Amino acid sequence: MTTEESPAAEDIIICRDVHKWFGSFHALRGITTSVSAGEVVVVIGPSGSGKSTFIRTINRLEHHQRGQIIVDGFEMTDDVRNIDAIRREVGMVFQSFNLFPHLTVMRNITLAPTKVRHTPMADAEDAAMELLERVGIPEQADKYPGELSGGQQQRVAIARALAMQPKIMLFDEPTSALDPEMIKEVLEVMQELAASQMTIVAVTHELGFAREVSDRIVMFDEGQIVEDLPPDDFFNNPRHERVRHFLSQIL
Amino acid sequence: MASASQVAEPVLPPRSEVGVAGWARENLFGSWYSGILTVVSAAAVVLAIWFGLRWTLMSANWDVVGIIGGRFIIGGYNTDQACPGNDCFWRPQAALLMVTALLGMLWVVAAGGVVKRVAIAAAAAAALSAFLPYSMERMGLDVRLLLLANVPALAIGWALARYTPLGTGRWVAVYGVVVFLLTIILLRGSSDISFAAGPLRLHIPMPDLLRPVPTLYWGGLTLNLLLAVAGIAMSLPLGIALALGRRSHLPVVKILCVIFIEVFRGVPLITILFMSQHLVPLAFPENFPRNSLFSAGVMITLFSSAYMAENIRGGLQSLHPGQAEAARALGLAGWQTTLFISLPQAVRNVIPTIVGQFISLFKDTSLVYIIGMVDIVEIGRTFILGNPEYRVSTKEVFIFISIVFWAFTYGMSYVSRQLERTLGVGER
């Protein structure tokens, strides 16, 4: 961060009364929350509670039908320029990695910088190599995604998102598709990222990660936010019975 | 290491499971009905080869193939009606030389040894046919030398791509289009060009060697190949455009593409070819010269692109939606997502169907006989009809034609298999 002011002073994501319907199903029912720059927010909740839908509205992979979402000063509307501007600033990591199987690891990472930001290829490749070192797999640069393990693929996906130098990183259940021994290597990368003052919104069931790394834990249930507390309070004295119930089920 | 946790050493499988004996036991005589099937099929194959070879080598009279000879290749192109003086044979041969040079360039540009093998096979086949046992009267020295020139042409193309800046995919593609257009111009020939616009008067006399040959006389394998190459080159991009259009969110574009695809898929190609002579001219100004070869080419292309569109659409639908989402989340625009992410994967997923469509297009080109064009099949058929003394050789004629078609289509599927292998690197 180059600014002198404290990161918490500035809300980089603002949601006001966000509603979303899939057909007649009311998936998000009036979400109001904000995330300040540099904050790490973990979103948890039972499946079908709208948590994935919520973070997908932040870069408009889903569009909301009512309310307001302002990301980095741009309001999310149907204006394509705003959406494209936001998507350049917001990186996303998916549960199923979604690497491009027909491109090498290196090309997966350099594609967006060269095509969207028009970075010269040589510079993009240097940056990609640095990112691969950061996520711990520089030796895999010339392989294809299909030749990597799940944990390695997810780390490439993180490097690919970081290559656009985003201000915000969204994680949509990044470890749910991984074997236990691979979860750790991905969480370590996320932990390092959180320590670097990146703004992070992560949907995850990894409560250990939530407890150690996050600034806030937000719990969704039936399309609403039912709890929004710092991790200590969330685990030790939640205000809602539903949180206790949820924790008792997954702990 | 503790003896309790001793790890079993890997050992080889039992002998009866490996080697020729193991394979035969496993696959040919795995059970009693499998054994019977093996014996019966083996007997059938042996009988077929025995009688097939006996007929081919002893009963069959292949003279007729030699008598039709070069007409299989260029049809009536060099006959008295088409080319008074019979000195037009060099034009298709020059076109072949350009194609061979193109193959030489592709050899350098394309990765993998496929193109190399195809290029060498094509040049060798052309050069070897210079030594066909015809008399010098039927096959002159000039014809033979031009055929032999395919070997240096291949070398020149190879050297051009290897040692000059022309050796990039982009330049070879440009040269490919130039070769196609030059081939058409060369085969078509031209009368003197007169041009008058105000004070500017231009008269370019054409040498007698380039006297026009109406497309009516274009024929033989050359005709099949011309139609197939044009159809293949145009129907792939057209098919992609139609497939994307059919998936478009714009209702007008979508409906137009659906109508186009369903109309062209719903009508037999023969019907479309019959109509081509009347429908295609409607799309052009009235003074545009009517040309049934051109009309047929357009219709074959449109017909094939309707099928191609559905193949490509199948490929697009096989992609995980997460692919496009990931691309959009990275900030790629919609067209970039389509161009760099969706299409390459979609096309690669359906290479076998696309090549199948190309093969079927190539074979369908012989249907142009229906509008009076004389392709390689029609050459054979009309020869038999016109020369009743050769009616006994009908089998030989059509078997020869079948072998020619098979050689080309097998080449296509061979290239496609190698292409799949090359592109499949790292995909599991």
Coordinates of all heavy atoms in Angstrom, one line a residue, chain A residues 56 59 61 84 87 90 92 94 96 98-103 111-112 115-116 144 146-147 160-161 164, chain B residues 320-333 336 340-342 344-345 348 425-428:
Chain A
R56 N -19.6 -14.1 -6.1 CA -19.6 -14.1 -7.6 C -20.3 -12.8 -8.0 O -20.1 -12.4 -9.2 CB -20.3 -15.3 -8.1 CG -19.4 -16.5 -8.1 CD -20.2 -17.8 -8.2 NE -20.9 -17.9 -9.5 CZ -20.3 -18.4 -10.6 NH1 -19.1 -18.8 -10.6 NH2 -21.0 -18.4 -11.7
N59 N -17.6 -9.7 -8.6 CA -17.0 -9.4 -10.0 C -18.0 -9.6 -11.1 O -17.7 -9.8 -12.2 CB -15.7 -10.1 -10.2 CG -15.9 -11.6 -10.3 OD1 -17.0 -12.1 -10.0 ND2 -14.8 -12.3 -10.7
L61 N -19.9 -12.1 -12.0 CA -20.1 -13.4 -12.7 C -21.6 -13.7 -12.5 O -22.2 -14.4 -13.3 CB -19.2 -14.5 -12.1 CG -17.8 -14.4 -12.5 CD1 -17.0 -15.6 -11.9 CD2 -17.6 -14.4 -14.0
D84 N -15.7 -4.5 -17.0 CA -14.3 -4.9 -17.4 C -13.3 -4.2 -16.5 O -12.3 -4.9 -16.1 CB -14.1 -4.5 -18.8 CG -14.8 -5.5 -19.8 OD1 -15.2 -6.6 -19.3 OD2 -14.9 -5.2 -21.0
R87 N -13.2 -6.2 -13.2 CA -12.6 -7.5 -13.4 C -11.1 -7.5 -13.5 O -10.4 -8.4 -13.1 CB -13.2 -8.3 -14.6 CG -14.6 -8.8 -14.3 CD -15.2 -9.4 -15.4 NE -16.5 -10.0 -15.1 CZ -17.5 -10.3 -16.0 NH1 -17.2 -10.1 -17.2 NH2 -18.6 -10.8 -15.6
V90 N -10.0 -7.2 -9.8 CA -10.5 -8.3 -8.8 C -10.0 -9.6 -9.4 O -10.5 -10.0 -10.5 CB -12.0 -8.3 -8.7 CG1 -12.5 -9.3 -7.7 CG2 -12.5 -6.9 -8.2
M92 N -9.9 -13.8 -9.1 CA -10.8 -14.8 -8.6 C -10.2 -16.2 -8.7 O -9.6 -16.6 -9.7 CB -12.1 -14.8 -9.3 CG -13.2 -15.7 -8.6 SD -14.8 -15.2 -9.0 CE -15.7 -16.1 -7.8
F94 N -11.2 -20.3 -8.2 CA -12.4 -21.1 -8.2 C -12.1 -22.5 -7.5 O -11.0 -23.0 -7.5 CB -12.8 -21.4 -9.7 CG -13.2 -20.2 -10.4 CD1 -12.2 -19.5 -11.1 CD2 -14.5 -19.7 -10.5 CE1 -12.5 -18.3 -11.8 CE2 -14.8 -18.6 -11.3 CZ -13.8 -17.9 -11.9
S96 N -12.9 -25.4 -8.8 CA -12.4 -26.4 -9.7 C -11.3 -25.8 -10.5 O -11.1 -26.2 -11.7 CB -13.6 -26.8 -10.6 OG -14.3 -25.7 -11.1
N98 N -10.3 -24.2 -12.8 CA -10.5 -23.6 -14.1 C -9.3 -23.1 -14.8 O -9.4 -22.0 -15.5 CB -11.6 -22.5 -14.0 CG -12.9 -23.0 -13.5 OD1 -13.1 -24.2 -13.5 ND2 -13.8 -22.1 -13.2
L99 N -8.2 -23.8 -14.8 CA -7.1 -23.5 -15.6 C -7.4 -23.8 -17.0 O -8.3 -24.6 -17.3 CB -5.8 -24.3 -15.2 CG -5.3 -23.9 -13.8 CD1 -4.1 -24.8 -13.5 CD2 -4.9 -22.4 -13.7
F100 N -6.7 -23.1 -18.0 CA -7.0 -23.4 -19.4 C -6.1 -24.6 -19.8 O -4.9 -24.5 -19.9 CB -6.7 -22.2 -20.2 CG -7.3 -20.9 -19.7 CD1 -6.6 -19.8 -19.5 CD2 -8.7 -20.9 -19.4 CE1 -7.3 -18.6 -19.0 CE2 -9.3 -19.8 -18.9 CZ -8.6 -18.6 -18.7
P101 N -6.8 -25.8 -20.1 CA -6.0 -27.0 -20.3 C -5.2 -27.0 -21.6 O -4.2 -27.7 -21.7 CB -7.1 -28.1 -20.4 CG -8.3 -27.3 -20.7 CD -8.2 -26.0 -20.2
H102 N -5.5 -26.1 -22.5 CA -4.8 -26.1 -23.8 C -3.6 -25.2 -23.8 O -2.9 -25.1 -24.8 CB -5.7 -25.7 -25.0 CG -6.3 -24.4 -24.8 ND1 -7.0 -23.9 -23.7 CD2 -6.2 -23.3 -25.7 CE1 -7.4 -22.7 -23.9 NE2 -6.9 -22.3 -25.1
L103 N -3.4 -24.5 -22.7 CA -2.2 -23.6 -22.6 C -1.3 -24.1 -21.5 O -1.7 -24.7 -20.5 CB -2.7 -22.2 -22.2 CG -3.7 -21.6 -23.2 CD1 -4.2 -20.2 -22.7 CD2 -3.1 -21.5 -24.6
L111 N -1.5 -14.9 -20.2 CA -2.5 -14.5 -21.2 C -3.2 -13.2 -20.9 O -3.2 -12.3 -21.8 CB -3.5 -15.7 -21.3 CG -4.6 -15.4 -22.3 CD1 -4.1 -15.7 -23.7 CD2 -5.8 -16.4 -22.1
A112 N -3.7 -13.1 -19.7 CA -4.5 -11.9 -19.4 C -3.6 -10.6 -19.4 O -4.0 -9.6 -20.0 CB -5.3 -12.1 -18.1
K115 N -2.9 -9.8 -23.1 CA -4.1 -9.4 -23.9 C -4.9 -8.3 -23.4 O -5.5 -7.5 -24.1 CB -5.0 -10.7 -24.1 CG -4.3 -11.9 -24.7 CD -3.9 -11.6 -26.1 CE -3.2 -12.8 -26.7 NZ -2.5 -12.5 -28.0
V116 N -5.0 -8.2 -22.0 CA -5.8 -7.1 -21.5 C -5.0 -5.9 -21.1 O -5.4 -4.8 -21.4 CB -6.5 -7.7 -20.2 CG1 -7.4 -6.6 -19.6 CG2 -7.4 -8.9 -20.6
Y144 N 1.7 -28.6 -18.8 CA 0.2 -28.3 -19.0 C -0.5 -28.6 -17.7 O -0.1 -29.4 -17.0 CB -0.3 -29.1 -20.2 CG 0.1 -28.6 -21.5 CD1 1.3 -29.0 -22.1 CD2 -0.6 -27.7 -22.2 CE1 1.8 -28.5 -23.3 CE2 -0.2 -27.2 -23.5 CZ 1.0 -27.6 -24.0 OH 1.4 -27.1 -25.2
G146 N -3.0 -30.3 -17.0 CA -3.3 -31.7 -16.8 C -2.2 -32.5 -16.2 O -2.4 -33.7 -15.7
E147 N -0.9 -32.0 -16.2 CA 0.2 -32.8 -15.7 C 0.5 -32.4 -14.3 O 1.5 -33.0 -13.7 CB 1.4 -32.5 -16.6 CG 1.3 -32.9 -18.0 CD 2.4 -32.4 -18.9 OE1 2.5 -31.2 -19.1 OE2 3.2 -33.2 -19.4
R160 N -2.1 -17.0 -11.5 CA -2.7 -16.5 -12.7 C -3.6 -15.2 -12.3 O -3.5 -14.2 -13.0 CB -3.6 -17.5 -13.4 CG -4.4 -17.0 -14.6 CD -5.2 -18.1 -15.2 NE -6.3 -18.5 -14.4 CZ -7.3 -19.4 -14.8 NH1 -7.2 -20.0 -16.0 NH2 -8.3 -19.7 -14.0
A161 N -4.3 -15.3 -11.2 CA -5.1 -14.2 -10.8 C -4.2 -13.0 -10.3 O -4.5 -11.9 -10.6 CB -6.1 -14.6 -9.7
M164 N -2.6 -10.2 -12.8 CA -3.2 -9.0 -13.2 C -3.1 -7.9 -12.1 O -3.7 -6.9 -12.2 CB -4.7 -9.3 -13.5 CG -5.0 -10.0 -14.7 SD -4.5 -9.1 -16.2 CE -5.9 -8.0 -16.3
Chain B
H320 N -16.5 -26.9 -20.1 CA -17.0 -26.5 -18.8 C -17.2 -25.0 -18.7 O -16.4 -24.2 -19.1 CB -15.9 -26.9 -17.7 CG -16.4 -26.9 -16.3 ND1 -16.4 -25.7 -15.6 CD2 -16.9 -27.8 -15.5 CE1 -16.9 -25.9 -14.4 NE2 -17.2 -27.2 -14.3
P321 N -18.4 -24.6 -18.2 CA -18.7 -23.2 -18.1 C -17.6 -22.4 -17.3 O -17.4 -21.2 -17.5 CB -20.0 -23.1 -17.4 CG -20.4 -24.4 -17.0 CD -19.5 -25.4 -17.7
G322 N -16.9 -23.1 -16.4 CA -15.9 -22.5 -15.6 C -14.7 -21.9 -16.5 O -14.1 -21.0 -16.1
Q323 N -14.5 -22.5 -17.7 CA -13.5 -22.0 -18.5 C -13.8 -20.5 -18.9 O -12.9 -19.6 -18.8 CB -13.4 -22.8 -19.8 CG -12.8 -24.2 -19.5 CD -11.3 -24.1 -19.2 OE1 -10.6 -23.5 -19.9 NE2 -10.9 -24.7 -18.1
A324 N -15.0 -20.3 -19.4 CA -15.3 -18.9 -19.9 C -15.4 -18.0 -18.6 O -14.9 -16.8 -18.7 CB -16.6 -18.9 -20.6
E325 N -15.9 -18.5 -17.5 CA -15.9 -17.7 -16.3 C -14.6 -17.2 -15.8 O -14.3 -16.1 -15.5 CB -16.6 -18.5 -15.2 CG -18.1 -18.4 -15.1 CD -18.7 -19.2 -14.0 OE1 -17.9 -19.7 -13.2 OE2 -19.9 -19.2 -13.9
A326 N -13.6 -18.2 -15.9 CA -12.2 -17.9 -15.4 C -11.7 -16.8 -16.4 O -11.0 -15.8 -15.9 CB -11.4 -19.1 -15.5
A327 N -11.9 -16.9 -17.7 CA -11.4 -15.9 -18.6 C -12.0 -14.6 -18.4 O -11.3 -13.5 -18.3 CB -11.7 -16.4 -20.0
R328 N -13.3 -14.5 -18.2 CA -14.0 -13.3 -17.9 C -13.5 -12.7 -16.6 O -13.3 -11.5 -16.5 CB -15.5 -13.4 -17.9 CG -16.2 -14.0 -19.2 CD -15.7 -13.2 -20.4 NE -16.0 -11.8 -20.4 CZ -17.1 -11.3 -20.8 NH1 -18.1 -12.1 -21.2 NH2 -17.3 -10.0 -20.8
A329 N -13.3 -13.5 -15.6 CA -12.9 -13.0 -14.3 C -11.5 -12.4 -14.4 O -11.1 -11.5 -13.6 CB -12.9 -14.1 -13.3
L330 N -10.7 -12.8 -15.4 CA -9.4 -12.3 -15.6 C -9.4 -10.9 -16.3 O -8.4 -10.3 -16.5 CB -8.5 -13.2 -16.3 CG -7.9 -14.4 -15.5 CD1 -7.3 -15.4 -16.5 CD2 -6.9 -13.9 -14.6
G331 N -10.6 -10.5 -16.8 CA -10.8 -9.3 -17.5 C -10.7 -9.4 -19.0 O -10.8 -8.4 -19.7
L332 N -10.6 -10.6 -19.5 CA -10.7 -10.8 -21.0 C -12.0 -10.4 -21.5 O -13.0 -10.7 -20.9 CB -10.4 -12.2 -21.4 CG -8.9 -12.8 -21.1 CD1 -8.9 -14.3 -21.4 CD2 -7.9 -12.1 -22.0
A333 N -12.1 -9.7 -22.6 CA -13.4 -9.3 -23.2 C -14.0 -10.6 -23.8 O -13.4 -11.6 -23.9 CB -13.1 -8.3 -24.3
Q336 N -12.3 -12.0 -26.8 CA -11.1 -12.6 -26.4 C -11.3 -14.0 -25.8 O -10.5 -14.9 -26.1 CB -10.3 -11.7 -25.5 CG -9.8 -10.4 -26.1 CD -9.1 -9.5 -25.1 OE1 -9.6 -9.3 -24.0 NE2 -8.0 -8.9 -25.5
F340 N -9.5 -17.0 -27.6 CA -8.3 -17.6 -27.0 C -8.6 -18.8 -26.1 O -7.8 -19.7 -25.9 CB -7.5 -16.6 -26.1 CG -7.1 -15.4 -26.9 CD1 -7.4 -14.1 -26.5 CD2 -6.3 -15.6 -28.1 CE1 -7.0 -13.0 -27.2 CE2 -5.9 -14.5 -28.8 CZ -6.2 -13.2 -28.4
I341 N -9.9 -18.9 -25.6 CA -10.2 -19.9 -24.6 C -11.2 -20.9 -25.2 O -10.9 -22.1 -25.3 CB -10.7 -19.3 -23.3 CG1 -9.7 -18.3 -22.7 CG2 -11.0 -20.4 -22.3 CD1 -8.4 -18.8 -22.5
S342 N -12.4 -20.4 -25.6 CA -13.4 -21.4 -26.0 C -13.1 -22.1 -27.3 O -13.1 -23.3 -27.4 CB -14.8 -20.6 -26.1 OG -15.0 -19.9 -24.9
P344 N -10.4 -22.5 -29.3 CA -9.3 -23.5 -29.5 C -9.6 -24.9 -28.8 O -9.4 -25.9 -29.4 CB -8.1 -22.9 -28.7 CG -8.4 -21.4 -28.7 CD -9.9 -21.3 -28.7
Q345 N -10.3 -24.8 -27.6 CA -10.6 -26.0 -27.0 C -11.8 -26.8 -27.7 O -11.7 -28.0 -27.8 CB -11.0 -25.8 -25.5 CG -9.9 -25.3 -24.7 CD -10.3 -25.2 -23.2 OE1 -10.7 -26.1 -22.6 NE2 -10.2 -24.0 -22.6
R348 N -10.5 -28.4 -30.9 CA -9.6 -29.5 -30.7 C -10.5 -30.7 -30.2 O -10.2 -31.9 -30.5 CB -8.6 -29.1 -29.6 CG -8.0 -30.1 -28.7 CD -7.0 -29.5 -27.8 NE -6.5 -28.2 -28.4 CZ -5.3 -27.8 -28.1 NH1 -4.5 -28.4 -27.3 NH2 -4.9 -26.6 -28.6
V425 N -0.9 -32.9 -26.3 CA 0.2 -32.9 -25.3 C -0.3 -32.5 -24.0 O -0.9 -31.4 -23.8 CB 1.3 -32.0 -25.8 CG1 2.5 -32.0 -24.8 CG2 1.8 -32.4 -27.2
G426 N 0.0 -33.3 -22.9 CA -0.3 -32.8 -21.6 C -1.8 -32.8 -21.2 O -2.1 -32.5 -20.1
E427 N -2.6 -33.3 -22.1 CA -4.1 -33.3 -21.7 C -4.4 -34.7 -21.3 O -4.1 -35.7 -21.9 CB -4.9 -32.9 -22.9 CG -5.1 -31.4 -23.1 CD -6.2 -31.1 -24.0 OE1 -6.0 -31.2 -25.2 OE2 -7.3 -30.8 -23.5
R428 N -5.0 -34.7 -20.1 CA -5.4 -36.0 -19.6 C -6.9 -36.0 -19.4 O -7.5 -35.0 -19.1 CB -4.7 -36.2 -18.3 CG -3.3 -36.6 -18.5 CD -2.7 -37.1 -17.2 NE -1.3 -37.0 -17.2 CZ -0.5 -36.8 -16.1 NH1 -1.1 -36.7 -14.9 NH2 0.8 -36.7 -16.2

